[in-house]
Amino acid sequence: MDDPRRLALEVLTRIERDEAFANLALASALDRADLDRRDRAFVTDLVYGTTRMRRACDHMVDRFLHDEVEPSVRSVLRMGAYQIHWGGVPAHAAVSATVAVAPRRVRGLCNAVLRRVSENEPNPPTRAIELSYPDWIIETLTADLGEADAVEALRVMNRPAPAVTREDGYHQDRASQLVSEVVADGLTNGAKVVDLCAAPGGKATAMASTGARVLAADRHQRRLNLVRSNAEGLGLDLEVVVADATQPPFRPASFDRVLVDAPCSGLGVLRRRADSRWRVTPDDVTELADLQLSMLIAALPLVASGGMLVYSVCTLTAAETTGVDEQFREATGAVPVGPPTAPWRVNGAGGLLLPQDLDAEGMAVFCYTVT
Ligand SMILES: C[S@@+](CC[C@H](N)C(=O)[O-])C[C@H]1O[C@@H](n2cnc3c(N)ncnc32)[C@H](O)[C@@H]1O
């Protein structure tokens, strides 16, 4: 049987040294390993927890380090600090078991540093260090949501997401399910729906299961294959097509519902993507907001008279939600339906769910009618 801490350390070192994606590196390590369910869950918590709390761990560890250390040693120290202060592992066990999987030549150093870490409280000097996010994320969300909501959202996104399964067996977060419900509201059987950014197909399959005729489009063929296999697995009839949502190759006024579930900075789903907070940049937010706007402008003409356009994102920045909505309405004169009802919060002309609202993902949605 493999040692869970040794495996977690390998994965953390790959993330740190090779910039590997946390979910992919973890999945491939777990596939190769011989571990029971409990140990697999422990490895997952060590990898995701240490990755999320990276900044808080570094602050703790750096106080007791005189020189920079190589990635594998940093990973040992972070993983030790995470267990001691955030992972709920008793300090003596966390120190000795973590030192035991450190490279032999640095065990003395790791032991000395982790003992000091265990004897001291974190005492973070800033909120960003305490909650372990880059400064810009704290600043942006505090400005956009207000301090109390932003801090609570960021706190919740440091905890693992609960697993949620739809009635048909598909794994989909509750907040995403609520977006599909907004789109499907008032739809009659056989109505035509296009999801312009459909992969992996969570919302497209949910809408197809209500009896709508759903066309699932996405720019990326490989991701579109996921839609196809998800639909087949659920026994749903769903048409798929590769298409760029900024230039959708469909006839005008041909759909009762058009969904633009756009690519976004993902700041509402950070609990599912442990390393994402360290990858996303402020420039991404600006570029993605521009892309979302051009998708909406291209999507509007596809809506038939009496139909509805829905814009959704799994992020919480004002730039990608109310900002895009305002620019879109100014550019096109599109008419907003108004915010959906509770549990959605009112967010300008649209609705917002914060991660703390349903212990789920953060999502924003805006609807426009076409007469
Ligand atoms: C938020 S995800 C969609 C999630 C999906 N609606 C669901 O519920 O499972 C955004 C999708 O947009 C796709 N995408 C990115 N750029 C695109 C473009 N220019 N045109 C169409 N799709 C695009 C990505 O491949 C990604 O699958």
Side-chain angles (χ1 to χ4, degrees):
M1 191 81 88
D2 293 312
D3 182 321
R5 285 187 179 83
R6 189 179 304 283
L7 199 68
L9 179 61
E10 266 172 42
V11 177
L12 287 167
T13 304
R14 282 209 54 217
I15 297 169
E16 175 66 10
R17 192 191 52 212
D18 310 335
E19 294 183 22
F21 283 97
N23 58 339
L24 301 182
L26 175 66
S28 88
L30 287 177
D31 274 353
R32 282 183 279 110
D34 174 24
L35 290 175
D36 62 20
R37 251 173 66 134
R38 239 186 72 209
D39 281 349
R40 290 169 75 88
F42 185 44
V43 175
T44 303
D45 182 63
L46 287 176
V47 170
Y48 285 166
T50 305
T51 301
R52 287 192 197 98
M53 298 315 289
R54 191 177 99 180
R55 189 172 184 194
C57 291
D58 280 347
H59 172 257
M60 198 71 237
V61 160
D62 284 341
R63 281 192 263 169
F64 309 114
L65 272 182
H66 302 296
D67 301 303
E68 187 41 62
V69 290
E70 62 190 74
S72 63
V73 180
R74 178 151 297 276
S75 298
V76 172
L77 297 174
R78 281 178 184 160
M79 188 172 87
Y82 168 70
Q83 293 167 76
I84 295 165
H85 289 292
W86 296 277
V89 179
H92 57 276
V95 175
S96 61
T98 303
V99 169
V101 299
R104 199 170 288 277
R105 65 198 151 70
V106 292
R107 282 188 193 161
L109 170 78
C110 291
N111 189 52
V113 172
L114 288 179
R115 287 186 59 156
R116 302 289 306 275
V117 166
S118 73
E119 289 157 6
N120 288 273
E121 287 305 313
N123 293 329
T126 68
R127 184 83 87 183
I129 293 173
E130 178 200 342
L131 297 174
S132 193
Y133 288 89
D135 290 342
W136 78 270
I137 292 185
I138 303 266
E139 285 159 12
T140 304
L141 293 191
T142 299
D144 293 354
L145 301 172
E147 188 175 358
D149 281 339
V151 166
E152 187 55 20
L154 293 166
R155 255 188 228 295
V156 169
M157 288 192 288
N158 279 338
R159 296 202 297 262
V164 185
T165 307
R166 286 192 324 221
E167 266 175 28
D168 61 6
Y170 188 88
H171 294 286
Q172 189 181 37
D173 181 81
R174 184 73 195 121
S176 296
Q177 294 182 32
L178 285 169
V179 172
S180 321
E181 286 171 23
V182 167
V183 183
D185 189 32
L187 264 192
T188 50
N189 218 13
K192 287 182 73 182
V193 178
V194 63
D195 181 346
L196 293 174
C197 301
K203 299 183 187 72
T205 54
M207 295 183 297
S209 69
T210 68
R213 282 188 290 160
V214 178
L215 176 58
D218 200 280
R219 185 174 179 176
H220 301 108
Q221 174 72 59
R222 270 195 25 223
R223 289 181 54 78
L224 207 51
N225 291 339
L226 294 173
V227 182
R228 197 175 281 121
S229 59
N230 284 330
E232 278 169 14
L234 297 169
L236 291 168
D237 196 16
L238 208 156
E239 205 181 327
V240 298
V241 55
V242 177
D244 181 344
T246 63
Q247 295 171 298
F250 308 118
R251 271 188 300 119
S254 51
F255 297 96
D256 302 296
R257 294 284 186 278
V258 176
L259 172 61
V260 177
D261 187 35
C264 68
S265 60
L267 298 190
V269 294
L270 295 175
R271 62 195 307 186
R272 276 189 202 279
R273 304 182 194 157
D275 51 352
S276 178
R277 69 186 71 186
W278 311 118
R279 296 182 185 277
V280 186
T281 67
D283 284 348
D284 293 335
V285 172
T286 313
E287 281 167 29
L288 287 160
D290 289 347
L291 177 63
Q292 292 155 16
L293 178 61
S294 52
M295 287 180 174
L296 287 178
I297 291 173
L300 186 61
L302 304 180
V303 185
S305 169
M308 187 165 83
L309 169 66
V310 179
Y311 162 51
S312 59
V313 282
C314 58
T315 196
L316 309 172
T317 65
E320 294 167 276
T321 55
T322 47
V324 168
D325 165 63
E326 281 157 21
Q327 290 180 68
F328 172 57
R329 283 193 280 133
E330 195 167 311
T332 61
V335 181
V337 176
T341 53
W344 292 94
R345 298 172 179 228
V346 174
N347 183 34
L352 180 70
L353 283 172
L354 296 181
Q356 59 265 41
D357 293 343
L358 302 173
D359 192 20
E361 293 179 341
M363 292 273 163
V365 69
F366 294 82
C367 303
Y368 309 91
T369 44
V370 171
T371 45

